Amino acid sequence: MTVKNQFEDAKKEYERWGINVEEVFDKLKNVPISVHCWQGDDVGGFETNKESLSGGIDVTGNYPGKATTPEELRQDIEKALSLIPGQHRVNLHAIYAETDGEVVERDQLEPKHFEKWVAWAKQHGLGLDFNPTLFSHKKSEDGLTLSHPDPQIRQFWIDHCIASRRIGEYFGRELGTPCLTNIWIPDGYKDVPSDRLTPRKRLKESLDEIFAAKVDEQLNIDAVESKLFGIGSEAFVVGSHEFYMNYASRNNKLCLLDTGHYHPTEMVSNKISAMLLFNEKLALHVSRPVRWDSDHVVTFDDELKEIALEIVRNNALDQVMIGLDFFDASINRVAAWTIGTRNMIKALLYGMLMPNEQLKELQEKGDFTRRLALIEEFKTYPFGAIWNYYCEVMDVPVKEQWLEDIEDYEKTVLTGRSEAIDSAV
Ligand code: RNT
Ligand code: ZN
């Protein structure tokens, strides 16, 4: 049976529940996922005076073929995007600036340092998102940035964040789609603090200064990302969830929820509806924590499906800006992007193929037996046949066929890269 025949049979089963699969495809095609560039080079970046990764995050593994230049990184992203159905966005960090070998301090970064990224994004019809980088730097060596007691260090990071918002504005203007510029800082303490209020007060003041700089809100959307703990900030993180949730709502900024930044049994899927009632928009970093904020590649697991369901059944596709955030250097990095991004899209499709209206009614009526029964039965509906056909009509490889492309790419492109490094040593 062809992919199409399997699809036709499967479609009938969903149609019995009033689910219009073609309409679902049209909807899904228009959902952009913001694909993080940093999976491609282990959050390295291309700074001339590059420091090693710090800020309480870590990448493990040394799979060969890592991108070491912007050209290689773009080539790898292109490869991954060619295997992912739909039109998406790319999420950059300030450390991915291209300064032609010149040392440009982060507070001095300008739109011109991202011209090549913009030209590339235009060429491929991609939107760009952005992040100031407040880690992997001498001025964040002690794990403090915007909440630092030293006003000069604070100012440096404030200026970097303002410069970043202007770069975001430039992306928005050039690409005709607003850029989400997300601020995440590592600030915190390894051990029990003797004062939690003062650093939080300083962070609040720093953010006020950053957002006081005028940037066109039509072109750049500001977000703030909280965290629970990091490596070296196990006891206290200044920018906690409550801190940013309040800050964002008071200041009309977006709250960004990273799925790895909560207690292990605390689920982001359960937060989405609550956030949407009080905010026009919400941003996500979809990741996969394994025992800690480990940033594993996103898999098609229950929580991913639940997140997708919450977005879909609440008609919130226009309100939730979906971004990914994982970095695994123990497997082929292009495959990591492909697996994680395809899973995110697959989960949205899964959510769209549930009889959501009927399930809501059952709950309202108090019929919890049917609610549970249907949710469980739909888990083995022929979802795979619909997904495969979606990939086919979107002109990307069906099922595991994409692996061949990656294996070929590894042989012809990535392996050559590691050899080049080896022979240089
Ligand atoms: C760190 C945050 C943050 C980073 C990226 C690189 O815990 O999740 O979003 O992963 O900015
Ligand atoms: Zn994140």
Side-chain angles (χ1 to χ4, degrees):
M1 258 222 282
T2 63
V3 169
K4 175 124 204 271
N5 289 340
Q6 284 176 341
F7 166 75
E8 293 298 341
D9 278 354
K11 194 174 87 159
K12 285 187 198 124
E13 298 213 31
Y14 288 97
E15 276 170 355
R16 282 201 292 125
W17 287 91
I19 298 162
N20 183 328
V21 181
E22 267 91 17
E23 263 173 40
V24 162
F25 281 6
D26 282 342
K27 209 195 249 184
L28 188 60
K29 270 179 211 164
N30 292 315
V31 185
I33 308 297
S34 187
V35 179
H36 55 310
C37 78
W38 51 91
Q39 164 61 66
D41 75 331
D42 312 341
V43 208
F46 305 118
E47 279 181 323
T48 309
N49 50 347
K50 186 168 151 177
E51 299 272 329
S52 57
L53 182 62
S54 68
I57 52 178
D58 196 17
V59 185
T60 55
N62 55 0
Y63 201 87
K66 173 169 94 173
T68 58
T69 64
E71 289 75 22
E72 288 178 353
L73 186 60
R74 286 190 280 264
Q75 186 187 12
D76 292 354
I77 299 172
E78 277 173 43
K79 184 75 222 172
L81 290 176
S82 75
L83 306 171
I84 296 165
Q87 197 56 34
H88 301 288
R89 307 176 63 83
V90 171
N91 197 3
L92 297 178
H93 241 283
I95 46 173
Y96 292 87
E98 290 170 83
T99 61
D100 274 332
E102 215 189 296
V103 174
V104 178
E105 283 305 333
R106 291 190 197 167
D107 58 344
Q108 303 298 315
L109 283 171
E110 290 177 53
K112 69 173 184 207
H113 301 121
F114 291 87
E115 270 168 3
K116 288 187 189 157
W117 281 108
V118 166
W120 173 78
K122 278 185 187 164
Q123 195 190 334
H124 296 276
L126 299 163
L128 289 179
D129 294 311
F130 199 55
N131 304 261
T133 313
L134 295 100
F135 52 85
S136 307
H137 193 276
K138 278 204 181 61
K139 288 198 162 73
S140 65
E141 246 166 17
D142 55 4
L144 299 171
T145 62
L146 294 176
S147 75
H148 206 287
D150 179 342
Q152 276 179 352
I153 293 189
R154 255 181 358 252
Q155 196 59 49
F156 173 80
W157 292 115
I158 290 169
D159 292 341
H160 173 52
C161 289
I162 295 174
S164 296
R165 294 179 65 228
R166 300 215 161 106
I167 292 162
E169 185 181 44
Y170 157 72
F171 288 173
R173 186 179 304 115
E174 289 293 318
L175 301 170
T177 167
C179 168
L180 183 78
T181 298
N182 171 52
I183 299 179
W184 171 73
I185 65 167
D187 301 34
Y189 291 112
K190 182 185 178 76
D191 226 325
V192 185
S194 48
D195 180 3
R196 291 177 172 86
L197 186 62
T198 305
R200 287 193 167 133
K201 188 166 173 283
R202 279 196 294 258
L203 173 56
K204 180 171 176 283
E205 286 164 2
S206 295
L207 291 169
D208 287 347
E209 253 192 80
I210 292 166
F211 296 127
K214 269 220 78 54
V215 166
D216 190 336
E217 287 175 18
Q218 302 298 321
L219 304 175
N220 178 74
I221 303 172
D222 297 304
V224 285
E225 176 183 6
S226 67
K227 191 158 175 166
L228 183 66
F229 78 96
I231 303 167
S233 60
E234 289 84 355
F236 172 68
V237 159
V238 183
S240 60
H241 178 58
E242 293 74 11
F243 176 92
Y244 280 125
M245 192 167 70
N246 281 300
Y247 190 89
S249 92
R250 284 281 174 108
N251 296 281
N252 212 13
K253 300 294 167 199
L254 258 71
C255 211
L256 186 147
L257 312 181
D258 181 309
T259 58
H261 291 188
Y262 296 89
H263 291 279
T265 60
E266 196 183 349
M267 295 297 158
V268 164
S269 55
N270 188 39
K271 298 177 187 297
I272 294 173
S273 54
M275 295 301 291
L276 287 178
L277 280 175
F278 300 95
N279 299 277
E280 220 178 281
K281 280 194 185 292
L282 171 69
L284 296 181
H285 267 183
V286 181
S287 190
R288 178 167 54 108
V290 178
R291 305 194 190 284
W292 68 290
D293 177 29
S294 59
D295 291 291
H296 278 62
V297 177
V298 168
T299 54
F300 192 57
D301 60 12
D302 285 348
E303 173 59 1
L304 186 71
K305 284 184 250 183
E306 203 60 28
I307 287 172
L309 269 164
E310 282 297 310
I311 299 172
V312 167
R313 66 186 165 206
N314 296 322
N315 284 323
L317 284 163
D318 291 336
Q319 286 171 279
V320 182
M321 310 180 76
I322 307 171
L324 303 174
D325 186 9
F326 49 80
F327 22 97
D328 189 341
S330 73
I331 60 174
N332 180 306
R333 294 171 185 80
V334 184
W337 267 318
T338 309
I339 295 166
T341 315
R342 279 174 71 111
N343 278 335
M344 185 69 242
I345 300 164
K346 203 188 273 186
L348 290 167
L349 178 64
Y350 183 86
M352 291 178 189
L353 292 174
M354 285 296 275
N356 291 314
E357 287 317 308
Q358 292 94 326
L359 286 167
K360 279 185 190 175
E361 273 169 38
L362 290 173
Q363 176 171 306
E364 288 298 289
K365 280 198 288 190
D367 191 346
F368 306 137
T369 309
R370 282 183 80 85
R371 182 183 64 181
L372 179 62
L374 287 180
I375 290 174
E376 290 308 300
E377 287 305 329
F378 264 78
K379 286 182 180 169
T380 47
Y381 260 52
F383 167 74
I386 309 274
W387 165 249
N388 292 341
Y389 188 63
Y390 181 67
C391 289
E392 187 165 284
V393 294
M394 295 299 284
D395 213 17
V396 299
V398 173
K399 290 198 262 190
E400 63 279 8
Q401 279 165 20
W402 60 264
L403 254 178
E404 282 169 35
D405 274 67
I406 298 243
E407 277 160 12
D408 191 49
Y409 187 73
E410 181 165 317
K411 270 190 222 116
T412 54
V413 179
L414 301 179
T415 310
R417 270 184 208 166
S418 26
E419 271 167 14
I421 292 170
D422 285 349
S423 56
V425 171

